[in-house]
Amino acid sequence: MAGIKEVAEEAGVSTATVSRALRGLQHVNDATRSKIIAAAEKLDYPLTPVRSNAAQGRTNSVGVVAPYISRWYFSQVINGAEQALREAGLDLLLYNFSAMKGRERLFQHQLLKGRVDALIVISLPPTEEEFNSMLSLGIPIALVGMEHPECASIKIDDVGGARTATQHLVNQGHKKIGLMSGRPDDPFNFSVPQDRRKGFMSVLAENGLEWLPSREVHGDFTMHTASRAMDDLLARPDRPTAIFCESDEMAMGAMQALRRHGLKTPEDISIVGFDGHEMAEFSELTTIEQPVQLMGEMAAWSIMERLRKPNVIAPSLVLPTTLVVRNTTRRLTVAEQGL
Amino acid sequence: MAGIKEVAEEAGVSTATVSRALRGLQHVNDATRSKIIAAAEKLDYPLTPVRSNAAQGRTNSVGVVAPYISRWYFSQVINGAEQALREAGLDLLLYNFSAMKGRERLFQHQLLKGRVDALIVISLPPTEEEFNSMLSLGIPIALVGMEHPECASIKIDDVGGARTATQHLVNQGHKKIGLMSGRPDDPFNFSVPQDRRKGFMSVLAENGLEWLPSREVHGDFTMHTASRAMDDLLARPDRPTAIFCESDEMAMGAMQALRRHGLKTPEDISIVGFDGHEMAEFSELTTIEQPVQLMGEMAAWSIMERLRKPNVIAPSLVLPTTLVVRNTTRRLTVAEQGL
DNA sequence: GTGAAAGCGCTAACAG
DNA sequence: CTGTTAGCGCTTTCAC
């Protein structure tokens, strides 16, 4: 493997000049630069060297930390981040932290330490202690789907999105509205389920609609549990005419359960989801879309900006969500509303 | 940030000894080692340093290259690889190569060069030229879902899996069997669609079943196109009684189309998928499961083995698939078979 | 067992 | 503009 030295020799210059030329720095004669680039290409030397980070104290890579990497939401965000980082010539180091348990999690910063120039943390609800551990790394951190006073953050307005979804149902004349929410005993203390639930409840209250605890069931944001939870709900008396599901996957699960029970959507029960999962489009699911990929990209841009100017304070961005009305919700007839 | 020097000072030894002790090398007094570890922990120094790769010519990280990173199959494989690599203390660098076009793809090896110790390439059908470019990096390469004489490879028997799926249909008395296959003009020249198609055809032939080209439609392995393709198929005369779909996502799309047309599965048409997507379980889809995560893990193990002993030749592994019978296939009655 | 010293491949500071 | 000279933080001889 050719090194900078060989290139320097081949081009008849010093290694320092090669370094400067290849990194596009100023104060290099165009002719010299051309000569060097030619030599580098001839010797198959990377245009943008990374072999030794010792000299500049940078790794040219950013860590992406997430509790899952194969679930829809996370893989989308990662995908967005990857693209933005690659364009900027930064590498993406993947860290799945859910797989780690107990003691290992405590040593997160040991894993990260010195390996990355910055961190993108996706919906990983860390303890305050873990957070401090990350902050103590002294590198820029961007949070996706969370907030913290000392970090940049990219998120959506979960409360607002849930409000829009619920209001949509109310506008269609629904009065008995059910809720498929995240588990109250969620192992991670995501704020997402709480926020979406809060938005839901507030709209109900504002419209003077009665809330019955028997209209709520819980899932863990997967189709499977949602489907089972729906069985539960359907077995109860005074069935809702519409249900807000806190995620598209849970909505899909709910719909599957309805089918199993011989019920139709939206004829028998209207369903609204939340996320904008690709499956939603295909299943004609009415849902609240969030710009998942974009969140990853923006997180990447955010840290790259801070890498450039370490002093600017980290912005906290709230991205918009969109109500996409498809075919799983319908307006109740006046007669039905009277029931 | 504490460096090896500080630790050495704190422990009252030389940097060389610290280096040896922390990496678990021999010829270090146990007492000294303890002292050093204590010092390192006190100063919050990474147990396993990576700051400077210059001295050892290693990066301690492996690249994972894939055409998509958010699709189910790929994210599962990546997930498996991540876990195995992390356990071994190796970092995972993510490279999404589908996003790159034209000239950039040619320079793949420039991106990779010197940044990774090894490569895991997932179902990325490269041109021979691109392959050579990767091989010329001179690092261990493990292929997932592909084969090449000079690389380790982990794959499943796609032909065999498709045969099992098709045979299952035949055993149930189906004679008019349709096929939902990948696009013949696939942008990537995956061997997967070809292999699965081949398996399908061979079973039909062996059982003396007539094959009508009108019974085949194409999708691009997504639900969306599969659903549309199914519309097509259903509009044709002499409808099949069963369909083998080359992927679970396409099977889901097909089933959605059937529902739209008021048809039921398996009463009206039986469906078999391929993959073992989590959705499949939830939708009661009969399918061929492949061990996706495991493939990622094994790819990681394979390269780690070769990193240790560079001379052993790369093995080519074929992992087993399993037919999982659920509720989208049924046995035809004798009367139905006679039709 | 341990330390001193010489690199690893590259960048940065300073001359010229 | 370019070369020289120090490092960067760590590993690896090679003595002791």
Side-chain angles (χ1 to χ4, degrees), chain A residues 170-244:
Chain A
V170 172
N171 292 347
Q172 307 242 66
H174 291 278
K175 294 184 162 41
K176 302 195 288 189
I177 306 178
L179 174 66
M180 167 89 66
S181 57
R183 286 246 165 70
D185 58 341
D186 188 51
F188 302 119
N189 59 336
F190 283 121
S191 62
V192 169
Q194 297 168 30
D195 288 345
R196 295 186 186 172
R197 191 173 189 281
K198 191 190 295 177
F200 172 83
M201 290 300 174
S202 67
V203 168
L204 250 51
E206 286 166 22
N207 287 275
L209 293 175
E210 182 192 26
W211 169 244
L212 268 51
S214 66
R215 293 207 181 119
E216 179 172 14
V217 284
H218 303 294
D220 63 359
F221 282 70
T222 66
M223 289 187 288
H224 190 79
T225 58
S227 184
R228 296 287 159 258
M230 200 61 192
D231 289 342
D232 243 37
L233 186 59
L234 292 176
R236 298 174 189 170
D238 199 18
R239 176 180 296 169
T241 61
I243 298 175
F244 167 52

Coordinates of all heavy atoms in Angstrom, one line a residue, chain A residues 170-244:
Chain A
V170 N -62.5 13.6 15.3 CA -63.6 14.4 15.9 C -64.3 15.1 14.8 O -65.6 15.1 14.7 CB -63.0 15.4 16.9 CG1 -64.1 16.3 17.4 CG2 -62.4 14.7 18.1
N171 N -63.6 15.7 13.8 CA -64.2 16.4 12.7 C -65.1 15.5 11.9 O -66.1 16.0 11.3 CB -63.2 17.0 11.8 CG -62.4 18.1 12.5 OD1 -62.8 18.6 13.5 ND2 -61.3 18.5 11.9
Q172 N -64.8 14.3 11.9 CA -65.6 13.3 11.1 C -66.9 12.9 11.9 O -67.6 11.9 11.5 CB -64.8 12.1 10.7 CG -63.5 12.5 10.0 CD -63.4 12.0 8.6 OE1 -64.2 12.4 7.8 NE2 -62.5 11.1 8.4
G173 N -67.1 13.5 13.0 CA -68.3 13.1 13.8 C -68.1 12.0 14.8 O -69.0 11.6 15.4
H174 N -66.9 11.5 15.0 CA -66.7 10.5 15.9 C -66.7 11.0 17.4 O -66.2 12.1 17.7 CB -65.3 9.8 15.7 CG -65.3 9.0 14.4 ND1 -65.8 7.7 14.3 CD2 -64.9 9.3 13.2 CE1 -65.7 7.3 13.1 NE2 -65.1 8.2 12.4
K175 N -67.4 10.3 18.2 CA -67.5 10.7 19.6 C -66.9 9.7 20.6 O -66.4 10.0 21.6 CB -69.0 11.0 20.0 CG -69.6 12.1 19.2 CD -71.0 12.4 19.7 CE -71.5 13.8 19.3 NZ -71.1 14.2 17.9
K176 N -67.0 8.4 20.1 CA -66.4 7.3 20.9 C -65.1 6.9 20.3 O -65.1 6.1 19.4 CB -67.4 6.2 21.0 CG -68.8 6.6 21.6 CD -69.6 5.4 22.0 CE -70.1 4.6 20.8 NZ -71.1 3.6 21.1
I177 N -64.0 7.5 20.8 CA -62.7 7.3 20.1 C -61.8 6.5 21.1 O -61.6 6.9 22.2 CB -62.1 8.6 19.8 CG1 -63.1 9.5 18.9 CG2 -60.8 8.4 19.0 CD1 -62.6 10.8 18.5
G178 N -61.3 5.5 20.5 CA -60.4 4.6 21.3 C -58.9 5.0 21.1 O -58.6 5.7 20.2
L179 N -58.0 4.4 21.9 CA -56.6 4.8 21.8 C -55.8 3.5 22.0 O -55.9 2.7 22.9 CB -56.2 5.8 23.0 CG -54.7 6.1 23.1 CD1 -54.2 6.8 21.9 CD2 -54.5 6.9 24.3
M180 N -54.9 3.3 21.0 CA -53.9 2.3 21.1 C -52.6 2.9 21.4 O -52.0 3.6 20.6 CB -53.8 1.5 19.8 CG -52.6 0.6 19.6 SD -53.0 -1.1 20.2 CE -54.2 -1.6 19.0
S181 N -52.1 2.8 22.7 CA -51.0 3.5 23.1 C -49.8 2.6 23.5 O -50.0 1.4 23.5 CB -51.3 4.4 24.3 OG -51.8 3.6 25.3
G182 N -48.7 3.2 23.7 CA -47.5 2.4 24.1 C -47.7 1.9 25.5 O -48.5 2.4 26.3
R183 N -46.9 0.9 25.8 CA -47.0 0.4 27.2 C -46.6 1.4 28.2 O -45.6 2.1 28.1 CB -46.0 -0.8 27.3 CG -46.5 -2.1 26.6 CD -46.8 -3.2 27.6 NE -47.6 -4.2 26.9 CZ -47.1 -5.1 26.0 NH1 -45.8 -5.0 25.7 NH2 -47.9 -6.0 25.5
P184 N -47.4 1.4 29.3 CA -47.0 2.4 30.4 C -45.7 2.0 31.1 O -45.0 2.8 31.6 CB -48.2 2.3 31.4 CG -49.1 1.2 30.9 CD -48.6 0.7 29.6
D185 N -45.5 0.7 31.0 CA -44.3 0.2 31.7 C -43.2 0.0 30.6 O -42.4 -1.0 30.7 CB -44.6 -1.1 32.4 CG -45.1 -2.2 31.4 OD1 -45.6 -1.8 30.3 OD2 -45.0 -3.4 31.7
D186 N -43.1 0.8 29.7 CA -42.1 0.7 28.6 C -40.7 0.6 29.2 O -40.3 1.4 30.1 CB -42.2 2.0 27.7 CG -41.3 1.9 26.5 OD1 -41.4 0.9 25.8 OD2 -40.6 2.8 26.3
P187 N -39.9 -0.3 28.7 CA -38.6 -0.5 29.3 C -37.7 0.8 29.0 O -37.0 1.2 29.9 CB -38.0 -1.7 28.5 CG -38.9 -1.8 27.3 CD -40.3 -1.3 27.7
F188 N -37.9 1.3 27.9 CA -37.2 2.6 27.7 C -38.3 3.7 28.0 O -39.5 3.5 27.7 CB -36.9 2.8 26.2 CG -36.0 1.7 25.7 CD1 -36.4 0.9 24.7 CD2 -34.7 1.6 26.3 CE1 -35.5 -0.1 24.2 CE2 -33.9 0.6 25.8 CZ -34.3 -0.2 24.8
N189 N -37.9 4.7 28.6 CA -38.9 5.7 29.0 C -39.0 6.8 27.9 O -38.8 8.0 28.1 CB -38.5 6.4 30.3 CG -37.1 7.0 30.3 OD1 -36.3 6.7 29.5 ND2 -36.9 8.0 31.1
F190 N -39.3 6.3 26.7 CA -39.6 7.2 25.6 C -40.6 8.3 26.0 O -41.5 8.0 26.7 CB -40.2 6.4 24.4 CG -39.3 5.6 23.7 CD1 -39.4 4.2 23.6 CD2 -38.2 6.2 23.0 CE1 -38.5 3.5 22.8 CE2 -37.3 5.5 22.3 CZ -37.5 4.1 22.2
S191 N -40.4 9.4 25.5 CA -41.4 10.5 25.7 C -42.5 10.4 24.6 O -43.5 10.9 24.8 CB -40.7 11.8 25.7 OG -40.2 12.1 24.4
V192 N -42.1 9.7 23.5 CA -43.0 9.6 22.4 C -44.4 9.1 22.8 O -45.4 9.8 22.5 CB -42.4 8.8 21.3 CG1 -43.5 8.5 20.2 CG2 -41.2 9.4 20.7
P193 N -44.6 8.0 23.4 CA -45.9 7.5 23.7 C -46.7 8.5 24.6 O -47.8 8.8 24.4 CB -45.7 6.2 24.5 CG -44.3 5.8 24.2 CD -43.5 7.0 23.8
Q194 N -45.9 9.0 25.6 CA -46.5 10.0 26.5 C -47.1 11.2 25.8 O -48.2 11.7 26.0 CB -45.5 10.5 27.6 CG -45.0 9.4 28.5 CD -43.8 9.8 29.3 OE1 -43.7 11.0 29.6 NE2 -42.9 8.9 29.6
D195 N -46.2 11.7 24.9 CA -46.6 12.9 24.1 C -47.8 12.7 23.2 O -48.7 13.5 23.2 CB -45.4 13.4 23.3 CG -44.3 14.0 24.1 OD1 -44.6 14.3 25.3 OD2 -43.2 14.2 23.6
R196 N -47.8 11.6 22.6 CA -48.9 11.3 21.6 C -50.2 11.1 22.4 O -51.3 11.5 22.0 CB -48.6 10.1 20.8 CG -47.4 10.4 19.8 CD -47.0 9.3 18.8 NE -45.8 9.7 18.1 CZ -45.1 8.9 17.3 NH1 -45.6 7.7 17.0 NH2 -44.0 9.4 16.7
R197 N -50.1 10.5 23.6 CA -51.2 10.3 24.4 C -51.8 11.6 24.9 O -53.0 11.8 24.9 CB -50.8 9.4 25.6 CG -52.0 8.9 26.4 CD -51.5 7.8 27.4 NE -52.6 7.2 28.1 CZ -53.4 7.7 29.0 NH1 -53.1 8.9 29.4 NH2 -54.4 7.0 29.6
K198 N -50.9 12.5 25.3 CA -51.3 13.8 25.8 C -52.0 14.6 24.7 O -53.1 15.2 25.0 CB -50.0 14.5 26.2 CG -50.3 15.8 27.0 CD -49.0 16.7 27.1 CE -48.0 16.0 28.0 NZ -46.7 16.8 28.1
G199 N -51.5 14.5 23.5 CA -52.2 15.2 22.4 C -53.6 14.7 22.2 O -54.5 15.5 22.0
F200 N -53.7 13.4 22.2 CA -55.0 12.7 22.0 C -56.0 13.2 23.1 O -57.1 13.7 22.8 CB -54.8 11.2 22.1 CG -56.0 10.4 22.2 CD1 -56.7 10.1 21.0 CD2 -56.5 9.9 23.4 CE1 -57.8 9.3 21.0 CE2 -57.7 9.2 23.4 CZ -58.3 8.9 22.2
M201 N -55.5 13.1 24.3 CA -56.4 13.5 25.5 C -56.8 14.9 25.4 O -58.0 15.3 25.7 CB -55.7 13.2 26.8 CG -55.5 11.7 27.1 SD -57.1 10.8 27.2 CE -56.4 9.1 27.4
S202 N -55.9 15.8 25.0 CA -56.3 17.2 25.1 C -57.4 17.5 24.1 O -58.3 18.3 24.3 CB -55.0 18.1 24.8 OG -54.6 17.9 23.5
V203 N -57.3 16.9 22.9 CA -58.3 17.2 21.9 C -59.7 16.6 22.4 O -60.7 17.3 22.2 CB -58.0 16.5 20.5 CG1 -59.2 16.6 19.6 CG2 -56.8 17.3 19.9
L204 N -59.7 15.5 23.0 CA -60.9 14.9 23.5 C -61.5 15.9 24.5 O -62.7 16.3 24.4 CB -60.6 13.6 24.2 CG -61.2 12.3 23.5 CD1 -60.8 12.3 22.1 CD2 -60.7 11.1 24.3
A205 N -60.7 16.4 25.4 CA -61.2 17.3 26.4 C -61.7 18.6 25.8 O -62.8 19.0 26.2 CB -60.0 17.6 27.4
E206 N -61.0 19.1 24.9 CA -61.4 20.4 24.3 C -62.7 20.3 23.6 O -63.5 21.2 23.4 CB -60.4 20.8 23.2 CG -59.1 21.4 23.9 CD -58.0 21.5 22.9 OE1 -58.3 21.6 21.6 OE2 -56.8 21.6 23.3
N207 N -63.0 19.1 23.1 CA -64.3 18.9 22.4 C -65.4 18.3 23.3 O -66.4 17.9 22.8 CB -64.1 18.0 21.2 CG -63.3 18.7 20.1 OD1 -63.9 19.4 19.3 ND2 -62.0 18.5 20.1
G208 N -65.1 18.3 24.5 CA -66.1 17.9 25.5 C -66.5 16.4 25.3 O -67.6 16.0 25.7
L209 N -65.6 15.7 24.8 CA -65.9 14.3 24.7 C -65.5 13.4 25.9 O -64.4 13.6 26.5 CB -65.1 13.7 23.4 CG -65.6 14.3 22.1 CD1 -64.8 13.8 21.0 CD2 -67.1 13.9 21.9
E210 N -66.3 12.6 26.2 CA -66.1 11.7 27.4 C -65.0 10.7 27.1 O -64.9 10.2 26.1 CB -67.4 11.0 27.7 CG -67.4 10.1 28.9 CD -68.6 9.2 29.0 OE1 -69.1 8.9 27.9 OE2 -69.0 8.7 30.0
W211 N -64.1 10.5 28.1 CA -63.1 9.5 28.0 C -63.3 8.4 28.9 O -63.4 8.5 30.1 CB -61.7 10.2 28.3 CG -60.6 9.1 28.4 CD1 -59.9 8.8 29.5 CD2 -60.2 8.2 27.4 NE1 -59.0 7.8 29.2 CE2 -59.2 7.4 27.9 CE3 -60.6 8.0 26.0 CZ2 -58.5 6.5 27.2 CZ3 -59.9 7.0 25.3 CH2 -58.9 6.3 25.9
L212 N -63.3 7.2 28.4 CA -63.5 6.0 29.2 C -62.2 5.2 29.1 O -61.7 4.8 28.0 CB -64.6 5.1 28.6 CG -66.0 5.3 29.1 CD1 -66.4 6.7 29.1 CD2 -67.0 4.4 28.3
P213 N -61.6 4.9 30.3 CA -60.4 4.1 30.3 C -60.5 2.8 29.6 O -59.5 2.2 29.0 CB -60.1 3.9 31.8 CG -60.8 5.0 32.5 CD -62.0 5.3 31.6
S214 N -61.7 2.3 29.5 CA -61.9 1.0 28.8 C -61.7 1.1 27.3 O -61.7 0.1 26.6 CB -63.3 0.5 29.1 OG -64.3 1.3 28.5
R215 N -61.5 2.3 26.8 CA -61.3 2.5 25.4 C -59.8 2.5 25.0 O -59.4 2.7 23.9 CB -61.9 3.8 24.9 CG -63.4 3.8 25.0 CD -64.1 4.7 24.0 NE -65.5 4.6 24.1 CZ -66.3 5.6 24.5 NH1 -65.8 6.8 24.7 NH2 -67.6 5.5 24.6
E216 N -59.0 2.3 26.0 CA -57.5 2.3 25.7 C -56.9 0.9 25.9 O -57.2 0.2 26.8 CB -56.8 3.3 26.7 CG -55.3 3.3 26.5 CD -54.6 4.4 27.3 OE1 -55.3 4.9 28.3 OE2 -53.5 4.7 27.0
V217 N -56.1 0.6 24.9 CA -55.3 -0.7 25.1 C -53.8 -0.3 24.7 O -53.6 0.7 24.1 CB -55.8 -1.8 24.2 CG1 -57.1 -2.4 24.7 CG2 -56.0 -1.3 22.8
H218 N -53.0 -1.2 25.1 CA -51.5 -0.9 24.9 C -50.8 -1.9 24.0 O -51.2 -3.1 24.0 CB -50.8 -0.9 26.3 CG -51.4 0.0 27.3 ND1 -51.3 1.4 27.1 CD2 -52.1 -0.2 28.4 CE1 -51.9 2.0 28.1 NE2 -52.4 1.1 29.0
G219 N -49.9 -1.4 23.3 CA -49.0 -2.3 22.5 C -47.6 -1.8 22.7 O -47.3 -0.8 23.4
D220 N -46.7 -2.5 22.0 CA -45.3 -2.1 22.2 C -44.7 -1.6 20.8 O -43.6 -1.7 20.5 CB -44.4 -3.2 22.7 CG -44.4 -4.4 21.8 OD1 -45.0 -4.3 20.7 OD2 -43.7 -5.4 22.1
F221 N -45.6 -1.0 20.1 CA -45.2 -0.4 18.8 C -44.9 -1.4 17.7 O -44.3 -1.1 16.7 CB -44.1 0.6 19.0 CG -44.5 1.9 19.5 CD1 -44.9 2.1 20.8 CD2 -44.5 3.1 18.7 CE1 -45.3 3.3 21.3 CE2 -44.9 4.3 19.2 CZ -45.3 4.4 20.5
T222 N -45.3 -2.7 18.0 CA -45.2 -3.7 16.9 C -46.6 -4.1 16.5 O -47.6 -4.0 17.3 CB -44.4 -4.9 17.4 OG1 -45.2 -5.6 18.4 CG2 -43.1 -4.5 17.9
M223 N -46.7 -4.7 15.3 CA -48.0 -5.2 14.8 C -48.5 -6.3 15.7 O -49.7 -6.3 16.0 CB -47.8 -5.7 13.4 CG -47.6 -4.6 12.4 SD -47.6 -5.3 10.7 CE -46.1 -6.2 10.7
H224 N -47.6 -7.1 16.1 CA -48.0 -8.3 16.8 C -48.8 -8.0 18.1 O -50.0 -8.4 18.3 CB -46.8 -9.2 17.1 CG -47.2 -10.5 17.7 ND1 -47.5 -11.5 16.8 CD2 -47.2 -11.0 18.9 CE1 -47.8 -12.6 17.6 NE2 -47.6 -12.3 18.8
T225 N -48.2 -7.2 19.0 CA -48.9 -6.9 20.2 C -50.1 -6.1 20.0 O -51.1 -6.2 20.7 CB -48.0 -6.2 21.2 OG1 -47.5 -5.0 20.6 CG2 -46.8 -7.0 21.6
A226 N -50.1 -5.2 19.0 CA -51.2 -4.4 18.7 C -52.4 -5.3 18.3 O -53.6 -5.0 18.7 CB -50.9 -3.4 17.6
S227 N -52.1 -6.3 17.5 CA -53.2 -7.1 17.1 C -53.9 -7.8 18.2 O -55.1 -7.9 18.3 CB -52.6 -8.2 16.1 OG -53.6 -9.0 15.5
R228 N -53.1 -8.3 19.2 CA -53.6 -9.0 20.4 C -54.4 -8.0 21.2 O -55.4 -8.3 21.7 CB -52.4 -9.6 21.2 CG -51.7 -10.7 20.5 CD -52.5 -12.0 20.4 NE -52.0 -12.8 19.3 CZ -52.5 -13.0 18.1 NH1 -53.7 -12.3 17.9 NH2 -52.0 -13.7 17.2
A229 N -53.8 -6.8 21.3 CA -54.5 -5.8 22.2 C -55.8 -5.5 21.6 O -56.8 -5.2 22.3 CB -53.6 -4.5 22.2
M230 N -55.9 -5.5 20.3 CA -57.2 -5.1 19.6 C -58.2 -6.2 20.0 O -59.4 -5.8 20.1 CB -56.9 -5.1 18.1 CG -57.9 -4.3 17.4 SD -58.0 -2.6 17.9 CE -59.6 -2.1 17.1
D231 N -57.8 -7.4 20.0 CA -58.7 -8.5 20.4 C -59.4 -8.1 21.7 O -60.6 -8.2 21.9 CB -58.0 -9.8 20.6 CG -57.5 -10.4 19.2 OD1 -58.1 -9.9 18.2 OD2 -56.6 -11.2 19.2
D232 N -58.6 -7.7 22.6 CA -59.0 -7.3 23.9 C -60.1 -6.2 23.8 O -61.2 -6.3 24.4 CB -57.8 -6.6 24.6 CG -57.5 -7.4 25.9 OD1 -57.6 -8.6 25.8 OD2 -57.1 -6.7 26.9
L233 N -59.7 -5.1 23.1 CA -60.6 -4.0 23.0 C -62.0 -4.4 22.4 O -63.0 -3.9 22.9 CB -59.9 -2.9 22.1 CG -60.7 -1.6 22.0 CD1 -60.9 -1.0 23.4 CD2 -59.9 -0.6 21.1
L234 N -61.9 -5.2 21.4 CA -63.1 -5.6 20.7 C -64.1 -6.5 21.6 O -65.2 -6.6 21.4 CB -62.8 -6.4 19.4 CG -62.1 -5.5 18.4 CD1 -61.8 -6.3 17.1 CD2 -63.1 -4.3 18.0
A235 N -63.5 -7.1 22.6 CA -64.2 -7.9 23.5 C -65.0 -7.1 24.5 O -65.9 -7.6 25.2 CB -63.3 -8.9 24.2
R236 N -64.6 -5.8 24.6 CA -65.3 -5.0 25.6 C -66.6 -4.4 25.1 O -66.8 -4.2 23.9 CB -64.4 -3.9 26.0 CG -63.1 -4.4 26.7 CD -62.1 -3.2 26.9 NE -60.8 -3.7 27.3 CZ -59.7 -3.0 27.5 NH1 -59.8 -1.7 27.2 NH2 -58.6 -3.5 27.8
P237 N -67.5 -4.0 26.0 CA -68.8 -3.4 25.5 C -68.6 -2.0 25.1 O -67.5 -1.4 25.3 CB -69.6 -3.5 26.8 CG -68.6 -3.5 27.9 CD -67.4 -4.2 27.4
D238 N -69.6 -1.4 24.4 CA -69.6 0.0 24.0 C -68.3 0.3 23.1 O -67.5 1.2 23.4 CB -69.6 0.9 25.2 CG -70.0 2.3 24.8 OD1 -70.6 2.4 23.7 OD2 -69.8 3.2 25.6
R239 N -68.2 -0.5 22.1 CA -67.1 -0.4 21.1 C -66.9 1.1 20.5 O -67.9 1.7 20.1 CB -67.3 -1.4 20.0 CG -66.3 -1.4 18.9 CD -66.7 -2.5 17.9 NE -66.7 -3.8 18.6 CZ -67.2 -4.9 18.0 NH1 -67.8 -4.8 16.8 NH2 -67.1 -6.1 18.6
P240 N -65.7 1.6 20.5 CA -65.4 2.9 19.8 C -65.8 2.8 18.3 O -65.8 1.7 17.7 CB -63.9 3.1 20.0 CG -63.5 2.0 20.9 CD -64.5 1.0 21.0
T241 N -66.0 4.0 17.8 CA -66.2 4.0 16.3 C -65.0 4.4 15.6 O -64.9 4.3 14.4 CB -67.3 5.1 15.9 OG1 -66.9 6.4 16.4 CG2 -68.6 4.7 16.6
A242 N -64.0 4.8 16.3 CA -62.7 5.2 15.7 C -61.6 5.0 16.7 O -61.8 5.0 17.9 CB -62.7 6.6 15.3
I243 N -60.4 4.7 16.2 CA -59.2 4.5 17.1 C -58.0 5.2 16.6 O -57.7 5.1 15.4 CB -58.9 3.0 17.2 CG1 -60.1 2.2 17.8 CG2 -57.7 2.7 18.1 CD1 -59.9 0.7 17.8
F244 N -57.4 5.9 17.5 CA -56.1 6.5 17.2 C -55.0 5.6 17.6 O -54.9 5.2 18.8 CB -56.0 7.9 17.8 CG -54.6 8.5 17.8 CD1 -53.9 8.5 16.6 CD2 -53.9 8.9 18.9 CE1 -52.6 9.0 16.5 CE2 -52.6 9.5 18.9 CZ -52.0 9.5 17.7

